Amino acid sequence: MSDSIEILRFATAGSVDDGKSTLIGRLLYDSKGIFLDQLETLENDSKSKNLKEIDLAHLTDGLKDEREQGITIDVAYRYFSTPKRKFIIADTPGHEEYTRNMFTGASNSSLAIILIDSRKGVLTQSKRHLYISYLLGIKNIIVAINKMDLVDYSREVFTNIREDFLKLSDDLSVNSINFIPISALKGDMIVDRGVNLPWYKGETLIHILENTKIYPEEDFSRSCFPVQLVSRVDNEEVKDFRGYMGMVTSGKFKIGDNIKILPGKKESKIENIIVSGEYSQEIDKSQSGTLLLKDELEISRGDVIASLDYELKINQTILSQICWMGEEGLKLKTKYIMKHSNKNSKIIINKVLNKINIESLKELESDEPFQMNDIGQVEIKIQNNIVYDTYESNKQLGSFIIIDIESNNTVAAGIIK
Amino acid sequence: MKKNIYLKELESEAIFILREVVAEFKNPVMLYSVGKDSSVMLHLARKAFFPSKIPFPLLHVDTGYKFREMYEFRDSFTKEIGANLIVYRNEEAIQKGFHPSKNGIAKCCGALKTQALLDALSKYNFNAAIGGARRDEEKSRAKERIFSFRDSFGQWNPKSQKPELWNIFNGEIDEEESVRIFPLSSWTETDIWNYIKHEGIKITPLYFARNRNMIIQDNSLVPSDDINNQGSTKVKSRFRSLGCMPCTGAIRSDATDIDMIIEETIKAKRSERETRIIDHGSNSMEDKKREGYF
């Protein structure tokens, strides 16, 4: 493996029977990401069901119920590598009622594959998938138009679906959408080009996955480090040690940097840095580490260490986009827990401001409390000040979850606009 | 060698998860099974809390059927790093002589591993147990959350898992309930070996190929536990995955160092758990996990 190998995390979304599991099975199978003994199990399964070809879909259906009912119940994670990249797939089920799974799978992805059945064209679900990808800041979208073998590999069908989809995405700022005609079942345009789509001059799916740019242009100013834990050690080997553990969510820090600690108004200087269990001169974005400061200050979990030039917002009431995931609908004026930037706070949701109509993707004014899968804007009041930024400029400081106090379930995901 | 970008990312993510466990739970424990994944996890924990000692104990659920080399390694290594090691055995079942050939694999695993684990967690009131399971190992594990909820019976219900978004982990539980945490969720077998190599992590010699006394059964190599090695043959072999002696097969291999193991892993045509007899037949991983197994 080369030293510069990167990880691409991507989500796959499609409606029921779009062939999503088959596509993932195909990616694993053609890129040799599946083992012989797993294949033998598949062959036996397929034989016992009197199928002619092996059912690649069963490769990803990890639960007995899923295999028996032929549906995917929950997000599954799959791994494969090519010499260029390591891939982590979040395979998200397509059922309408499981939209929250798409949100879950896409939250850690930098690319989304939206599957469309060439016979059915763009569906409400495709819109939903596009919108969720957009909301979660996924800039790279691949629209894989599947089951081309069932429409005689027709160029016209492909072009029409592409036109429909582009109309849909007009209003959303998505950087790039790649359209690929594929047959997951037959293997066309996934890892190999196949011979059935001579009119398609674009790249194969795996080529795009291997070459898409993952990391945005790095902005090294505006550095930020939410504190996870405070470490104090004082024993015979380590004398009077006080460090702040966390992960750099934007920018970078080096010894000697002047910093501020929010939500208070304290300032200090970085005296030392630990990365990967060793003292270091600096720490980069996405690295876990420990910061040691020049002054002894009262800092706790949830506080944010930031560079002086970073204007973070501090407030007790925020407006936010949320996706409701709870079985029970949202209750206004009821206490919930919000986990944001490593910290749990009690909150109440004051009011609903609008709700997204998933057909038109437009915001409709509405004050009706959300039911499962509803997406829209709410006003939240928090028990204490929180330090935040918009999701777009700082994913970690702009996102949170809401937990129901009674059931302890995660009932909503929030994105601060 | 500059650290691979992707190993850095995996390491950083795992350290973040381990710190979340300590921040969110009163009484966490790390499951330590002496294998390669446990060794990586322990290494990550030492890094995460440096210069402090690891702020939780290690728990080894011992069935009495582990390899001699595993016990030796466990005792010398945990002593070397000054870890607090708890060894827990289901003494009642061990006294009764539980063995897969006598009680069947499912019953034997259920008593010596699952029950022992649940008993240990409740004896010490651990409410968060960190394990080295990886999603790529087995298809029901592919469905696991990183913070995976267990009810008061220690059971997993895969159909009603909490959504898990970004790296925000929900650690809210009630009394009697617990959480299993999997910091190596996103690692593959090859990643584990690349990291072991990169970091120079110590592992038990069982992973390296050597001439070993094996009983050849059909296509599998079963380690001989007979003192006189009756009926066994010397085969150059190693263990890809480690468990209890009666249920862990070896593979024919010439891989005597880490580089050779990595090469062998990349080229492997069969999955690492294939040599784990416990995963086969009616005794599926999903069923065991539902009951409380890792």
Side-chain angles (χ1 to χ4, degrees):
Chain A
M1 269 192 195
S2 84
D3 257 9
S4 61
I5 197 161
E6 300 168 322
I7 304 178
L8 176 72
R9 297 173 197 248
F10 68 94
T12 56
S15 305
V16 184
D17 289 335
D18 278 352
K20 194 162 43 64
S21 298
T22 313
L23 172 68
I24 293 169
R26 176 59 69 183
L27 271 173
L28 297 180
Y29 184 65
D30 285 1
S31 62
K32 318 277 184 289
I34 168 173
F35 293 112
L36 269 179
D37 48 313
Q38 295 167 336
L39 201 62
E40 282 160 13
T41 315
L42 275 189
E43 278 168 357
N44 291 336
D45 277 2
S46 304
K47 251 183 232 157
S48 69
K49 289 194 173 158
N50 291 320
L51 300 173
K52 274 187 204 128
E53 295 178 46
I54 54 164
D55 192 347
L56 288 173
H58 279 195
L59 199 55
T60 58
D61 292 335
L63 305 175
K64 218 186 311 170
D65 286 350
E66 295 180 320
R67 291 189 296 279
E68 281 166 11
Q69 296 166 32
I71 56 157
T72 311
I73 293 169
D74 195 358
V75 187
Y77 295 88
R78 290 282 148 191
Y79 304 82
F80 72 102
S81 318
T82 66
K84 282 189 115 164
R85 270 186 183 165
K86 171 185 165 87
F87 297 97
I88 301 180
I89 314 175
D91 176 17
T92 65
H95 313 266
E96 193 118 6
E97 68 267 33
Y98 289 139
T99 287
R100 60 177 204 164
N101 287 331
M102 162 91 193
F103 221 91
T104 304
S107 70
N108 282 317
S109 298
S110 47
L111 181 148
I113 299 179
I114 298 177
L115 254 105
I116 292 181
D117 185 332
S118 60
R119 297 167 304 172
K120 294 182 194 156
V122 177
L123 303 175
T124 303
Q125 275 298 84
S126 329
K127 289 185 200 173
R128 198 185 278 263
H129 295 145
L130 176 68
Y131 188 76
I132 293 170
S133 307
Y134 155 77
L135 204 61
L136 285 164
I138 296 178
K139 302 288 185 198
N140 300 296
I141 308 275
I142 295 176
V143 178
I145 300 168
N146 191 23
K147 306 199 181 180
M148 289 301 291
D149 52 310
L150 298 181
V151 294
D152 297 325
Y153 294 98
S154 157
R155 187 177 192 162
E156 202 191 332
V157 170
F158 172 77
T159 314
N160 289 341
I161 293 175
R162 186 176 61 189
E163 295 306 312
D164 285 351
F165 197 93
L166 283 172
K167 267 180 233 153
L168 197 74
S169 57
D170 258 0
D171 300 338
L172 309 176
S173 63
V174 181
N175 275 15
S176 81
I177 303 186
N178 278 292
F179 293 88
I180 315 177
I182 63 166
S183 165
L185 189 68
K186 309 284 177 195
D188 299 300
M189 286 303 158
I190 295 172
V191 173
D192 304 312
R193 294 192 72 84
V195 293
N196 298 311
L197 292 156
W199 50 264
Y200 171 74
K201 304 293 179 212
E203 305 293 352
T204 57
L205 182 61
I206 195 79
H207 183 94
I208 297 174
L209 293 177
E210 281 186 324
N211 293 286
T212 298
K213 216 168 140 198
I214 304 175
Y215 304 105
E217 292 298 328
E218 215 33 86
D219 173 9
F220 287 117
S221 62
R222 305 202 310 148
S223 305
C224 150
F225 182 95
V227 174
Q228 252 186 305
L229 266 179
V230 181
S231 165
R232 284 198 188 90
V233 192
D234 193 12
N235 56 33
E236 280 188 9
E237 290 141 53
V238 188
K239 285 269 171 263
D240 202 19
F241 174 94
R242 184 198 283 243
Y244 304 99
M245 302 180 175
M247 187 189 270
V248 178
T249 61
S250 69
K252 65 192 292 180
F253 292 93
K254 54 182 193 314
I255 293 179
D257 280 357
N258 292 310
I259 52 97
K260 57 185 172 186
I261 300 108
L262 302 170
K265 290 195 166 65
K266 292 162 273 190
E267 289 187 14
S268 186
K269 198 189 263 283
I270 293 183
E271 195 171 66
N272 219 333
I273 298 173
I274 299 171
V275 184
S276 188
E278 286 167 22
Y279 284 95
S280 165
Q281 287 299 309
E282 56 180 37
I283 179 167
D284 287 336
K285 187 180 169 183
S286 301
Q287 283 192 306
S288 284
T290 304
L291 302 183
L292 285 78
L293 303 183
K294 195 165 163 286
D295 308 284
E296 240 178 64
L297 298 167
E298 187 54 44
I299 300 175
S300 50
R301 177 164 161 91
D303 289 352
V304 175
I305 297 176
S307 55
L308 297 180
D309 64 344
Y310 196 171
E311 294 294 330
L312 283 155
K313 299 175 180 69
I314 301 173
N315 228 323
Q316 224 183 322
T317 305
I318 59 164
L319 296 184
S320 175
Q321 200 85 353
I322 63 169
C323 173
W324 195 257
M325 299 174 163
E327 307 263 340
E328 272 182 42
L330 181 162
K331 289 198 270 301
L332 294 173
K333 312 282 181 197
T334 303
K335 278 195 193 108
Y336 290 100
I337 293 169
M338 165 196 261
K339 188 170 181 189
H340 168 261
S341 179
N342 305 334
K343 187 176 178 172
N344 285 357
S345 315
K346 291 215 172 68
I347 57 159
I348 52 170
I349 298 165
N350 274 341
K351 56 185 171 200
V352 170
L353 299 165
N354 67 44
K355 190 153 120 182
I356 301 298
N357 177 303
I358 213 69
E359 281 293 333
S360 63
L361 299 186
K362 299 269 185 275
E363 292 173 0
L364 298 181
E365 258 186 60
S366 160
D367 56 4
E368 264 186 41
F370 297 163
Q371 298 303 318
M372 199 204 284
N373 294 325
D374 281 344
I375 298 170
Q377 202 173 33
V378 295
E379 186 187 281
I380 299 173
K381 175 138 170 79
I382 308 146
Q383 71 176 124
N384 44 263
N385 271 327
I386 62 160
V387 183
Y388 65 99
D389 198 351
T390 60
Y391 185 79
E392 207 182 348
S393 56
N394 191 327
K395 206 168 160 176
Q396 279 80 8
L397 285 191
S399 58
F400 60 87
I401 59 170
I402 297 177
I403 301 166
D404 185 278
I405 290 179
E406 211 168 286
S407 68
N408 295 327
N409 276 328
T410 304
V411 289
I415 284 170
I416 306 172
K417 280 203 155 183
Chain B
M1 185 173 100
K2 197 170 172 270
K3 195 179 290 183
N4 222 309
I5 298 174
Y6 95 101
L7 284 181
K8 242 180 176 172
E9 188 176 327
L10 292 174
E11 176 189 81
S12 195
E13 180 186 87
I15 289 176
F16 181 85
I17 295 164
L18 290 169
R19 289 168 165 184
E20 279 301 281
V21 178
V22 171
E24 294 254 340
F25 298 97
K26 268 197 212 120
N27 198 13
V29 65
M30 178 176 272
L31 272 291
Y32 178 67
S33 72
V34 203
K36 62 185 191 313
D37 303 306
S38 283
S39 299
V40 165
M41 209 163 55
L42 187 50
H43 185 79
L44 289 163
R46 294 173 71 196
K47 285 195 169 204
F49 301 102
F50 173 87
S52 166
K53 288 218 157 132
I54 303 171
F56 38 72
L58 308 180
L59 171 65
H60 182 223
V61 175
D62 181 22
T63 60
Y65 288 121
K66 303 295 175 187
F67 294 79
R68 181 179 46 82
E69 290 92 331
M70 289 171 78
Y71 293 116
E72 285 168 5
F73 185 85
R74 178 193 74 187
D75 294 339
S76 69
F77 188 69
T78 52
K79 195 173 163 203
E80 184 187 321
I81 64 166
N84 172 10
L85 174 74
I86 298 170
V87 176
Y88 191 89
R89 295 152 51 103
N90 182 346
E91 291 295 352
E92 202 187 321
I94 291 173
Q95 289 304 318
K96 281 185 188 155
F98 264 69
H99 190 278
S101 67
K102 193 173 112 191
N103 307 78
I105 294 168
K107 283 239 165 70
C108 186
C109 256
L112 297 183
K113 294 174 88 173
T114 308
Q115 197 52 50
L117 171 66
L118 296 175
D119 290 348
L121 297 180
S122 98
K123 177 178 172 188
Y124 296 96
N125 282 318
F126 292 126
N127 60 354
I130 308 163
R134 309 188 322 266
R135 286 176 180 151
D136 87 314
E137 277 180 275
E138 203 276 338
K139 57 192 169 199
S140 66
R141 282 189 169 163
K143 296 272 172 182
E144 268 289 6
R145 298 291 187 263
I146 290 173
F147 271 43
S148 184
F149 177 76
R150 295 292 184 277
D151 67 15
S152 54
F153 297 94
Q155 298 178 115
W156 180 55
N157 185 355
K159 274 197 198 163
S160 66
Q161 299 198 82
K162 298 175 189 180
E164 193 163 75
L165 296 112
W166 299 288
N167 58 355
I168 310 178
F169 304 108
N170 178 348
E172 296 295 309
I173 51 170
D174 290 337
E175 292 276 316
E176 306 289 312
E177 295 169 345
S178 63
V179 170
R180 304 278 172 96
I181 292 115
F182 303 105
L184 303 181
S185 286
S186 299
W187 299 50
T188 62
E189 189 187 6
T190 312
D191 299 337
I192 293 286
W193 284 115
N194 277 325
Y195 191 71
I196 288 174
K197 180 189 169 188
H198 185 272
E199 298 287 312
I201 297 171
K202 283 189 194 165
I203 46 169
T204 130
L206 290 162
Y207 286 112
F208 299 105
R210 232 190 49 197
N211 282 318
R212 294 186 162 91
N213 291 311
M214 292 288 163
I215 296 160
I216 304 174
Q217 288 178 351
D218 301 320
N219 286 323
S220 43
L221 300 177
V222 181
S224 159
D225 58 357
D226 187 291
I227 303 166
N228 303 312
N229 292 315
Q230 270 199 343
S232 73
T233 322
K234 287 249 183 221
V235 184
K236 191 156 193 196
S237 55
R238 67 178 199 90
F239 297 91
R240 212 175 143 192
S241 175
L242 288 173
C244 297
M245 278 179 75
C247 290
T248 302
I251 53 166
R252 287 174 196 275
S253 169
D254 291 316
T256 48
D257 64 32
I258 302 259
D259 283 313
M260 290 166 87
I261 291 177
I262 293 174
E263 204 186 315
E264 192 184 271
T265 309
I266 292 170
K267 286 187 185 151
K269 295 224 167 21
R270 310 185 82 87
S271 76
E272 73 182 288
R273 292 204 71 95
E274 196 197 31
T275 54
R276 300 287 287 272
I277 298 156
I278 56 168
D279 289 353
H280 304 308
S282 56
N283 188 35
S284 79
M285 176 75 86
E286 182 181 339
D287 295 337
K288 283 190 295 171
K289 279 177 66 63
R290 280 174 180 272
E291 283 157 23
Y293 184 78
F294 251 88

